[in-house]
PDB file of all heavy atoms in Angstrom:
ATOM      1  N   ILE A  79      76.626  84.330 115.131  1.00 89.00           N
ATOM      2  CA  ILE A  79      76.108  84.182 113.773  1.00 89.00           C
ATOM      3  C   ILE A  79      76.912  83.112 113.050  1.00 89.00           C
ATOM      4  O   ILE A  79      77.956  82.656 113.532  1.00 89.00           O
ATOM      5  CB  ILE A  79      76.176  85.512 112.985  1.00 89.00           C
ATOM      6  CG1 ILE A  79      77.644  85.929 112.790  1.00 89.00           C
ATOM      7  CG2 ILE A  79      75.386  86.605 113.669  1.00 89.00           C
ATOM      8  CD1 ILE A  79      77.795  87.114 111.868  1.00 89.00           C
ATOM      9  N   SER A  80      76.447  82.706 111.877  1.00 91.00           N
ATOM     10  CA  SER A  80      77.141  81.675 111.107  1.00 91.00           C
ATOM     11  C   SER A  80      78.411  82.244 110.478  1.00 91.00           C
ATOM     12  O   SER A  80      78.537  83.456 110.264  1.00 91.00           O
ATOM     13  CB  SER A  80      76.235  81.142 109.994  1.00 91.00           C
ATOM     14  OG  SER A  80      76.030  82.135 109.007  1.00 91.00           O
ATOM     15  N   ARG A  81      79.355  81.354 110.156  1.00 91.00           N
ATOM     16  CA  ARG A  81      80.599  81.796 109.532  1.00 91.00           C
ATOM     17  C   ARG A  81      80.342  82.359 108.133  1.00 91.00           C
ATOM     18  O   ARG A  81      81.023  83.287 107.689  1.00 91.00           O
ATOM     19  CB  ARG A  81      81.600  80.644 109.461  1.00 91.00           C
ATOM     20  CG  ARG A  81      82.155  80.246 110.828  1.00 91.00           C
ATOM     21  CD  ARG A  81      83.206  79.174 110.711  1.00 91.00           C
ATOM     22  NE  ARG A  81      84.367  79.629 109.963  1.00 91.00           N
ATOM     23  CZ  ARG A  81      85.404  78.851 109.641  1.00 91.00           C
ATOM     24  NH1 ARG A  81      85.411  77.575 110.027  1.00 91.00           N
ATOM     25  NH2 ARG A  81      86.420  79.334 108.967  1.00 91.00           N
ATOM     26  N   SER A  82      79.341  81.806 107.435  1.00 91.00           N
ATOM     27  CA  SER A  82      79.051  82.309 106.083  1.00 91.00           C
ATOM     28  C   SER A  82      78.543  83.750 106.137  1.00 91.00           C
ATOM     29  O   SER A  82      78.929  84.593 105.313  1.00 91.00           O
ATOM     30  CB  SER A  82      78.025  81.417 105.384  1.00 91.00           C
ATOM     31  OG  SER A  82      76.797  81.391 106.099  1.00 91.00           O
ATOM     32  N   SER A  83      77.695  84.056 107.115  1.00 91.00           N
ATOM     33  CA  SER A  83      77.203  85.433 107.259  1.00 91.00           C
ATOM     34  C   SER A  83      78.335  86.366 107.659  1.00 91.00           C
ATOM     35  O   SER A  83      78.426  87.505 107.189  1.00 91.00           O
ATOM     36  CB  SER A  83      76.079  85.498 108.291  1.00 91.00           C
ATOM     37  OG  SER A  83      74.938  84.801 107.841  1.00 91.00           O
ATOM     38  N   MET A  84      79.228  85.875 108.540  1.00 92.00           N
ATOM     39  CA  MET A  84      80.375  86.679 108.937  1.00 92.00           C
ATOM     40  C   MET A  84      81.285  86.944 107.749  1.00 92.00           C
ATOM     41  O   MET A  84      81.805  88.043 107.571  1.00 92.00           O
ATOM     42  CB  MET A  84      81.145  85.972 110.053  1.00 92.00           C
ATOM     43  CG  MET A  84      82.398  86.721 110.513  1.00 92.00           C
ATOM     44  SD  MET A  84      82.043  88.432 111.007  1.00 92.00           S
ATOM     45  CE  MET A  84      80.939  88.137 112.387  1.00 92.00           C
ATOM     46  N   ARG A  85      81.466  85.918 106.900  1.00 92.00           N
ATOM     47  CA  ARG A  85      82.316  86.068 105.719  1.00 92.00           C
ATOM     48  C   ARG A  85      81.746  87.149 104.801  1.00 92.00           C
ATOM     49  O   ARG A  85      82.480  87.979 104.270  1.00 92.00           O
ATOM     50  CB  ARG A  85      82.413  84.733 104.994  1.00 92.00           C
ATOM     51  CG  ARG A  85      83.459  84.692 103.884  1.00 92.00           C
ATOM     52  CD  ARG A  85      83.587  83.293 103.304  1.00 92.00           C
ATOM     53  NE  ARG A  85      83.932  82.337 104.343  1.00 92.00           N
ATOM     54  CZ  ARG A  85      83.175  81.288 104.688  1.00 92.00           C
ATOM     55  NH1 ARG A  85      82.005  81.087 104.087  1.00 92.00           N
ATOM     56  NH2 ARG A  85      83.574  80.466 105.633  1.00 92.00           N
ATOM     57  N   GLU A  86      80.431  87.141 104.618  1.00 93.00           N
ATOM     58  CA  GLU A  86      79.792  88.159 103.774  1.00 93.00           C
ATOM     59  C   GLU A  86      79.931  89.551 104.385  1.00 93.00           C
ATOM     60  O   GLU A  86      80.147  90.541 103.678  1.00 93.00           O
ATOM     61  CB  GLU A  86      78.315  87.823 103.569  1.00 93.00           C
ATOM     62  CG  GLU A  86      78.058  86.642 102.662  1.00 93.00           C
ATOM     63  CD  GLU A  86      78.571  86.888 101.259  1.00 93.00           C
ATOM     64  OE1 GLU A  86      78.396  88.020 100.746  1.00 93.00           O
ATOM     65  OE2 GLU A  86      79.160  85.967 100.673  1.00 93.00           O
ATOM     66  N   ALA A  87      79.815  89.632 105.686  1.00 93.00           N
ATOM     67  CA  ALA A  87      79.945  90.931 106.365  1.00 93.00           C
ATOM     68  C   ALA A  87      81.352  91.483 106.192  1.00 93.00           C
ATOM     69  O   ALA A  87      81.541  92.670 105.905  1.00 93.00           O
ATOM     70  CB  ALA A  87      79.613  90.787 107.847  1.00 93.00           C
ATOM     71  N   ILE A  88      82.339  90.617 106.366  1.00 92.00           N
ATOM     72  CA  ILE A  88      83.734  91.051 106.205  1.00 92.00           C
ATOM     73  C   ILE A  88      83.997  91.476 104.768  1.00 92.00           C
ATOM     74  O   ILE A  88      84.663  92.489 104.510  1.00 92.00           O
ATOM     75  CB  ILE A  88      84.691  89.919 106.631  1.00 92.00           C
ATOM     76  CG1 ILE A  88      84.624  89.734 108.152  1.00 92.00           C
ATOM     77  CG2 ILE A  88      86.122  90.207 106.188  1.00 92.00           C
ATOM     78  CD1 ILE A  88      85.388  88.522 108.666  1.00 92.00           C
ATOM     79  N   ARG A  89      83.453  90.731 103.818  1.00 92.00           N
ATOM     80  CA  ARG A  89      83.635  91.082 102.402  1.00 92.00           C
ATOM     81  C   ARG A  89      83.026  92.453 102.107  1.00 92.00           C
ATOM     82  O   ARG A  89      83.636  93.283 101.427  1.00 92.00           O
ATOM     83  CB  ARG A  89      83.007  90.013 101.517  1.00 92.00           C
ATOM     84  CG  ARG A  89      83.228  90.264 100.015  1.00 92.00           C
ATOM     85  CD  ARG A  89      82.614  89.169  99.163  1.00 92.00           C
ATOM     86  NE  ARG A  89      83.250  87.888  99.410  1.00 92.00           N
ATOM     87  CZ  ARG A  89      82.621  86.802  99.816  1.00 92.00           C
ATOM     88  NH1 ARG A  89      81.316  86.833 100.065  1.00 92.00           N
ATOM     89  NH2 ARG A  89      83.278  85.667 100.003  1.00 92.00           N
ATOM     90  N   ALA A  90      81.820  92.702 102.633  1.00 90.00           N
ATOM     91  CA  ALA A  90      81.158  93.988 102.380  1.00 90.00           C
ATOM     92  C   ALA A  90      81.941  95.139 102.992  1.00 90.00           C
ATOM     93  O   ALA A  90      82.112  96.194 102.365  1.00 90.00           O
ATOM     94  CB  ALA A  90      79.734  93.962 102.954  1.00 90.00           C
ATOM     95  N   LEU A  91      82.442  94.962 104.207  1.00 91.00           N
ATOM     96  CA  LEU A  91      83.202  96.025 104.864  1.00 91.00           C
ATOM     97  C   LEU A  91      84.563  96.237 104.213  1.00 91.00           C
ATOM     98  O   LEU A  91      85.118  97.338 104.251  1.00 91.00           O
ATOM     99  CB  LEU A  91      83.364  95.707 106.352  1.00 91.00           C
ATOM    100  CG  LEU A  91      82.080  95.837 107.182  1.00 91.00           C
ATOM    101  CD1 LEU A  91      82.272  95.278 108.585  1.00 91.00           C
ATOM    102  CD2 LEU A  91      81.623  97.301 107.250  1.00 91.00           C
TER     103      LEU A  91
END
Side-chain angles (χ1 to χ4, degrees):
I79 65 172
S80 69
R81 290 184 63 184
S82 61
S83 294
M84 178 54 62
R85 190 174 302 119
E86 288 298 319
I88 290 172
R89 183 179 296 122
L91 289 170

